[in-house]
Amino acid sequence: MAFYLQSTLGILLLAAAGIFVPEAAQAEPVAPRAKDAGPYDVAQWFEPRERRQAYRAYFDEYGRRVTVDRRGRIVSIEEAQPSENTDYFPDAPQDPYDTGAIANDPYAPSNALPSEQDYGSIDREPLPPANGESDFIDPAMPGDGLTDAPQQEQIPVHPDPAPTIELPKGQGSKAKIAAIQVLLDRIGVSPGVIDGHKGGNVDKAVAAFEEMTGQQFDPLNEEGINASLEQTGGPAFKSYTITSEDAAYPFVASIPEDYSHKAQLERMAFTSVTELLAERFHMDENYLKEINPGVDFNTPGVAIQVANTGQDAGGAVTRIIADKGRKQVRGYNAEGKLVVAYPATIGSTDTPSPSGTVQVERIALNPNYTYNPKINFKQGENNSVLTIPPGPNGPVGTVWIALSKPTYGIHGTPEPSKIGKTNSHGCVRLTNWDATELSKLVQKGVTVEFQE
């Protein structure tokens, strides 16, 4: 997503047939910081124990050996032995975790798969209760399954949610709404997947735009929308030619539901060219097919229409708001100005996200996911520890941003179209492309405030 907050855009938005009404000054752009490459590892492991054992021990995220009784009360903490690599997190916010094998943009046309040594690893502990009574949950209780609950969203209604906006109706309205989504995506206030549908994700993106710029957004002013699109990168859609690399990507036939079957795959890869391209261009897969009727996506050289999204935002995020009620993550810079905003799935009433303020601890790109039924949720008939390989269709998607509250993180998802519309199990879920962008803007110590 492009970070289009320069005064040039402000002038155009004011001049383009009155699409925006000024209310406050434009935010000044923040220069991106330099890259600082370095390998990165995330690991957490537990010692096996007998079922009736009175005490249990595990290693926390700082490498300390923690012993607790069966009620979860801490008995002792043994500090980790000093090592040369105690701080996993690089200093610079701009792509510091690139080892050379991971491309800066996982959705670029020539997307090479990273090697195994470049993958981080995610072990999930059971989720602690929100009331703070204990730092441990008995392994028999369900943890974070990272699956969508079948019921409707259970997060309490925000006292001041993003207002519903009026969008184009009638013939051609779907294309007009998609153009609005593309514009919002470019500016840095993500609408989630670009699908031509109205809904809460568009409403909250518009609210974020108005907070970011101090200007009113008029989605019914087609002339102004088109002028703004021209200023920020051209028409909402562009032609793209399917490459041989797209068609030759190492797809998997399908992603099984059972974790033991997932663990047998070489990678949690895309299942089709349409899924790969939809994610690369921030689109809903069905909408990509809809605007390209009759196209054989498996044939290199075929030209298709795709969303003309912008580049990732620049600058640095120093404070994150995880708004549970609005189901949105917002990132602010050191001057308190909004830099980016993303629709999010944040916990539920039965497995809530934490309250208060935590900090970013570290980041893993393309992480493995470790399933352990003794400390996580119980999935199907699986009773053994399983390692789910990395990939965009993995349980935590392509990015894991670990938080200082153990077991919690901000991460991607294998199902971007469900972001903001279903429950998670305590963590903060974004689309893979939004999580990737955010991971390039933060560094260790960035605060994450959970708001009700």
Side-chain angles (χ1 to χ4, degrees), residues 36 42 51 75 102 111 133 137 142 207 261 316 322 358-359 374 413 415:
D36 181 17
V42 176
R51 191 174 188 84
V75 177
I102 300 176
N111 178 27
E133 293 179 355
I137 287 183
H261 297 160
V358 295
Q359 293 79 39
K374 292 185 178 181
T413 179
E415 298 180 293

Side-chain angles (χ1 to χ4, degrees), residues 283-294:
M283 299 178 69
D284 175 73
E285 186 177 356
N286 290 330
Y287 187 57
L288 175 63
K289 295 176 182 177
E290 180 182 329
I291 65 174
N292 293 283

Side-chain angles (χ1 to χ4, degrees), residues 240-243 246-247 272-274 277 288-289 291-305:
Y240 174 80
T241 301
I242 297 174
T243 68
D246 296 333
S272 66
V273 175
T274 54
L277 294 179
L288 175 63
K289 295 176 182 177
I291 65 174
N292 293 283
V295 167
D296 181 0
F297 289 89
N298 297 312
T299 304
V302 171
I304 60 173
Q305 289 293 303

Side-chain angles (χ1 to χ4, degrees), residues 185-216:
D185 182 283
R186 290 178 185 175
I187 292 170
V189 287
S190 171
V193 294
I194 295 166
D195 59 4
H197 288 294
K198 63 180 181 179
N201 286 349
V202 176
D203 295 340
K204 67 188 71 169
V206 169
F209 171 86
E210 294 180 350
E211 177 185 346
M212 178 184 283
T213 65
Q215 299 171 345
Q216 187 176 355

Side-chain angles (χ1 to χ4, degrees), residues 5 20 27 29 121 175 229 235 278 291 338 356 382 396 409 418 448:
L5 296 182
F20 303 116
S121 180
L229 284 168
I291 65 174
L338 185 65
N382 296 311
V396 293
K418 293 184 178 181
V448 181

Side-chain angles (χ1 to χ4, degrees), residues 123-243:
D123 279 343
R124 292 280 292 142
E125 299 175 37
L127 293 172
N131 58 18
E133 293 179 355
S134 171
D135 289 329
F136 190 86
I137 287 183
D138 191 280
M141 297 183 67
D144 187 349
L146 298 170
T147 56
D148 296 306
Q151 68 272 23
Q152 292 295 315
E153 181 65 57
Q154 300 180 33
I155 300 174
V157 177
H158 194 278
D160 184 25
T164 301
I165 62 171
E166 185 179 358
L167 291 169
K169 300 177 181 179
Q171 186 175 7
S173 62
K174 199 167 187 178
K176 295 175 183 178
I177 294 173
I180 291 170
Q181 291 174 319
V182 170
L183 178 59
L184 293 168
D185 182 283
R186 290 178 185 175
I187 292 170
V189 287
S190 171
V193 294
I194 295 166
D195 59 4
H197 288 294
K198 63 180 181 179
N201 286 349
V202 176
D203 295 340
K204 67 188 71 169
V206 169
F209 171 86
E210 294 180 350
E211 177 185 346
M212 178 184 283
T213 65
Q215 299 171 345
Q216 187 176 355
F217 190 96
D218 182 5
L220 299 182
N221 189 333
E222 186 176 353
E223 182 180 353
I225 293 291
N226 290 335
S228 296
L229 284 168
E230 286 301 320
Q231 176 65 23
T232 58
F237 288 83
K238 65 181 181 180
S239 178
Y240 174 80
T241 301
I242 297 174
T243 68

